[in-house]
Amino acid sequence: MKKIFSSVRAKLFLTLCVVIFMIIAFLVIINNAVLESFYYYSKKNASLDAYEFINENIKNTEIDNLKLEIEKMSIANNFEIIIKSDNGIVFATNKDFSENFGDIPEVKYDVKYNVFRQDEIMYSDQNISIRKIQDKKNGLSFIFLLGNLDNGYKLFIRTPMTSIAESVEISNKFLYLIALMDVALGAV
């Protein structure tokens, strides 16, 4: 047994394995610490960009002319978007949004007055609030934007957080697979 570990080949293989495992462990730690935060940051900025785009264009354009662009934005960013006036829903990318999510006044109240969960606020100013919230009906977590448009309409944007957690998990599994392949190739 001692003879196996005294060969140069075995020492190189063990050194390679240790280095690979250290690199993969470092990447997994960084992945868990940074990637999720980066996704939240990206989704927050995409939500703000969507708000700005809709707010700027809804003033000068009829909603019917804007629908296609909003739907493209919704699909590209995995958003569900509702534009609501005092008279009801003006536009919705998902017709079942309020049915799946709950009544809009209840959601607005939960988002605006949930002062006990300040850690869930991602962004807030006089017209916009972006928070991490949990759907009471099915327990899913979302990033939720509630905004007041300049024309008096309300804008609601939500995007699921499950895809973010799944992306981190998939990325970590891929890193583990790479580590195993490297060790297997190093043994040959």
Side-chain angles (χ1 to χ4, degrees):
M1 183 81 158
K2 186 173 180 160
K3 191 174 185 172
I4 293 174
F5 291 112
S6 65
S7 73
V8 173
R9 182 177 178 182
K11 289 179 182 178
L12 283 173
F13 176 72
L14 287 175
T15 304
L16 175 71
C17 287
V18 169
V19 169
I20 288 172
F21 286 129
M22 287 175 45
I23 290 170
I24 296 298
F26 176 74
L27 290 174
V28 167
I29 290 168
I30 294 297
N31 200 21
N32 286 330
V34 176
L35 189 59
E36 194 169 348
S37 299
F38 177 74
Y39 277 131
Y40 288 141
Y41 175 79
S42 297
K43 286 295 184 180
K44 178 192 80 162
N45 286 340
S47 297
L48 288 171
D49 291 344
Y51 170 84
E52 292 297 327
F53 174 80
I54 292 169
N55 193 35
E56 286 300 315
N57 290 296
I58 206 163
K59 290 186 267 186
N60 306 323
T61 313
E62 282 295 317
I63 191 72
D64 291 333
N65 298 334
L66 205 54
K67 283 183 181 179
L68 182 61
E69 290 300 318
I70 295 172
E71 286 176 0
K72 284 180 189 177
M73 184 185 322
S74 171
I75 291 168
N77 293 296
N78 195 22
F79 288 159
E80 291 180 327
I81 299 172
I82 287 183
I83 300 172
K84 185 177 181 299
S85 71
D86 292 336
N87 299 328
I89 294 175
V90 175
F91 174 78
T93 56
N94 178 357
K95 303 301 180 207
D96 298 327
F97 181 107
S98 59
E99 190 175 296
N100 292 340
F101 200 69
D103 293 329
I104 288 178
E106 178 184 322
V107 172
K108 282 173 50 178
Y109 181 83
D110 285 350
V111 169
K112 192 167 187 169
Y113 298 106
N114 192 356
V115 294
F116 300 109
R117 301 297 307 254
Q118 293 296 318
D119 59 320
E120 293 180 351
I121 298 172
M122 297 174 71
Y123 178 85
S124 184
D125 73 10
Q126 66 185 26
N127 289 326
I128 306 170
S129 175
I130 301 176
R131 294 177 184 244
K132 299 175 193 173
I133 62 170
Q134 184 135 4
D135 185 342
K136 294 176 185 176
K137 189 174 184 179
N138 59 27
L140 296 175
S141 296
F142 293 91
I143 295 173
F144 188 79
L145 178 142
L146 170 62
N148 298 315
L149 300 174
D150 291 343
N151 67 352
Y153 290 173
K154 304 280 186 212
L155 176 65
F156 302 89
I157 300 175
R158 77 173 181 178
T159 186
M161 290 173 37
T162 52
S163 61
I164 295 168
E166 287 173 357
S167 292
V168 171
E169 186 178 324
I170 289 169
S171 179
N172 285 341
K173 285 181 182 179
F174 182 70
L175 289 172
Y176 297 142
L177 181 64
I178 289 173
L180 290 175
M181 288 181 2
D182 284 345
V183 169
L185 288 174
V188 174

